Amino acid sequence: MIRRRTVLASTLGITGGLLLGATAEAAPADWSRAVVDSTIARKPDPKSLGGWGYTCGLFLYGVHRVYQRVKEPSYLAYIKQWVDTYVDADGHINRGFDNLDAMQSGNLLLILHKETGDPRYRTAADQIRTRITTYPRTTDGGMWHATGKTNELWADGVFMAQPFLLRYGLAYGDETYAYDEVTRNLAVYFSHLKASNGLLYHAYDADGDAPWSPDPATGTSAYHWARAIGWTAMTHIEVLELLPANHPRRAQLIANVRHLAKGFVRYQDPGTGRWFQVVDKGSEAGNWTETSASSMYTLMLHAALRRGYIAGGAYVSAARRGYQGVLEKVSVNADGLTDIADISEGTNVGDLAYYFGRKRNTNDLHGLGAFLLMNERLAP
């Protein structure tokens, strides 16, 4: 279980009352609970959250992190009701799992099997695990972003499948396969997407024929889209927290975290503490600071400091300012419900105008889920 008070105020300088669009008197005592309660109030029927996919899976995974701390039964019931919409009486999910995005909600199956003991959830999780064995890969072992995106690796994709596979392996005696497959994928993805400036490119195509025009020399896309990098950052933290201390690829994964930490410090907006939609183009007209990625970067910096992967005042300051910057996008509206603003809608690989022009949503599940995962680690 992840506790909220994982870093003391004396370490990161993070204290309550830093926020927000609300007045100090109106600010909730517990922003995680306020966000969960507000979302449930808006969508009391979990079916209305959306279909089986990673956005609902991310948000509900965040809800479970809050549940682990507060033990509010209605939170677990809400997760269960959403999952039960898609898992039938025999434990079958009517999906082919032909893209990584469809696998992320498998984390909820593992959670519910552990919480309830109902074997249907294990059966459904088995369905995803079986598909992973046959899922197509690049010649060096990277799982394609989707079966229709031949030999393409997107930085978004690692969060969708790898943490699930590792948790499945640990839960059901499949550790050997899980350790090797997960760490290989992270290594392969990072080797292809790594940029010299401390960031990652959004995508890589081994064939060089993707519609987004890969660089002919490197196979990468042209830009550093914020949330794609954030997915990879969070995945490294979650995997490292479960990986054995003596695993042969552990040092490589920590080096990846250090690479990203340097980039996050380098490109953090000095005015807001957040990070831009296209991370290294902060001075260009039309760019904007994006809340979900800023939550993800803050989470990674905080966890990396706590685990000793990185150290130093620049990282401490970046984590503190990142948290403050995200909280400035959280408010309580006239109805008494929380709003989280400036969250990019779902995004493919594109050009600069495409990234700049993505809708800046309020209460998009990408941002709600990322905020919950961050806040459960950082809130005092």
Side-chain angles (χ1 to χ4, degrees):
M1 172 178 167
I2 305 247
R3 294 181 300 164
R4 298 172 74 210
R5 294 176 176 84
T6 54
V7 172
L8 298 176
S10 60
T11 303
L12 285 187
I14 293 171
T15 61
L18 289 172
L19 338 182
L20 328 130
T23 65
E25 292 75 20
D30 186 331
W31 279 97
S32 290
R33 291 201 71 162
V35 168
V36 174
D37 292 343
S38 295
T39 307
I40 293 175
R42 289 183 172 108
K43 297 183 180 293
D45 182 355
K47 294 179 184 178
S48 65
L49 276 179
W52 181 273
Y54 75 93
T55 53
C56 293
L58 172 71
F59 170 69
L60 293 172
Y61 179 51
V63 172
H64 185 256
R65 286 287 175 88
V66 184
Y67 168 79
Q68 288 181 294
R69 174 171 58 86
V70 304
K71 300 301 182 184
E72 169 53 55
S74 65
Y75 292 178
L76 187 63
Y78 192 81
I79 297 168
K80 184 177 185 302
Q81 189 177 345
W82 183 84
V83 171
D84 286 347
T85 303
Y86 303 100
V87 177
D88 67 20
D90 297 320
H92 180 74
I93 302 174
N94 187 26
R95 291 197 66 105
F97 298 104
D98 288 333
N99 59 76
L100 300 183
D101 289 350
M103 298 180 184
Q104 196 279 334
S105 294
N107 290 286
L108 305 177
L109 302 172
L110 304 178
I111 286 168
L112 289 174
H113 186 227
K114 182 177 180 180
E115 295 281 3
T116 70
D118 189 332
R120 293 186 305 122
Y121 303 119
R122 165 71 192 272
T123 300
D126 290 345
Q127 188 178 339
I128 300 175
R129 169 62 184 86
T130 299
R131 177 57 177 135
I132 287 175
T133 301
T134 62
Y135 194 83
R137 290 161 170 79
T138 58
T139 57
D140 51 0
M143 295 172 67
W144 299 358
H145 192 67
T147 57
K149 300 184 185 299
T150 305
N151 280 316
E152 292 184 40
L153 309 179
W154 294 20
D156 324 29
V158 290
F159 189 82
M160 307 309 167
Q162 305 313 320
F164 162 80
L165 177 57
L166 185 52
R167 292 188 186 99
Y168 179 99
L170 291 170
Y172 304 127
D174 196 20
E175 298 99 327
T176 301
Y177 176 86
Y179 290 149
D180 186 59
E181 189 66 24
V182 167
T183 58
R184 178 190 297 109
N185 266 273
L186 289 180
V188 167
Y189 268 72
F190 213 91
S191 68
H192 290 303
L193 298 173
K194 183 179 179 181
S196 60
N197 62 0
L199 301 175
L200 301 174
Y201 293 102
H202 188 172
Y204 162 80
D205 177 30
D207 298 328
D209 59 358
W212 37 266
S213 301
D215 183 292
T218 64
T220 61
S221 57
Y223 297 105
H224 308 292
W225 177 49
R227 192 163 63 226
I229 302 169
W231 290 122
T232 299
M234 287 204 305
T235 304
H236 275 73
I237 292 303
E238 297 214 348
V239 168
L240 282 165
E241 290 179 341
L242 298 173
L243 199 65
N246 62 350
H247 191 276
R249 289 198 183 105
R250 184 175 182 85
Q252 183 178 1
L253 299 190
I254 292 173
N256 293 349
V257 170
R258 290 171 177 161
H259 171 86
L260 293 176
K262 290 177 182 177
F264 294 171
V265 169
R266 179 179 184 181
Y267 291 109
Q268 186 175 33
D269 178 32
T272 68
R274 296 184 294 275
W275 286 267
F276 284 92
Q277 168 81 337
V278 179
V279 184
D280 62 330
K281 304 290 185 183
S283 63
E284 296 209 14
N287 208 352
W288 48 283
T289 60
E290 200 280 327
T291 307
S292 68
S294 296
S295 298
M296 294 171 176
Y297 294 11
T298 300
L299 181 159
M300 192 209 81
L301 289 168
H302 167 273
L305 282 163
R306 181 173 181 259
R307 297 286 181 176
Y309 309 148
I310 58 176
Y315 297 126
V316 171
S317 176
R320 181 182 65 247
R321 290 187 296 116
Y323 188 53
Q324 292 171 334
V326 170
L327 291 176
E328 287 171 0
K329 290 295 180 178
V330 186
S331 61
V332 176
N333 64 29
D335 295 325
L337 302 178
T338 60
D339 286 324
I340 301 181
D342 288 347
I343 303 164
S344 176
E345 64 182 329
T347 298
N348 293 314
V349 184
D351 60 18
L352 206 58
Y354 170 79
Y355 290 120
F356 286 178
R358 303 307 287 160
K359 290 181 181 177
R360 300 164 64 167
N361 290 334
T362 296
N363 298 327
D364 187 296
L365 294 180
H366 293 92
L368 299 186
F371 174 80
L372 293 175
L373 294 179
M374 178 203 70
N375 201 56
E376 282 304 291
R377 290 176 180 264
L378 273 84

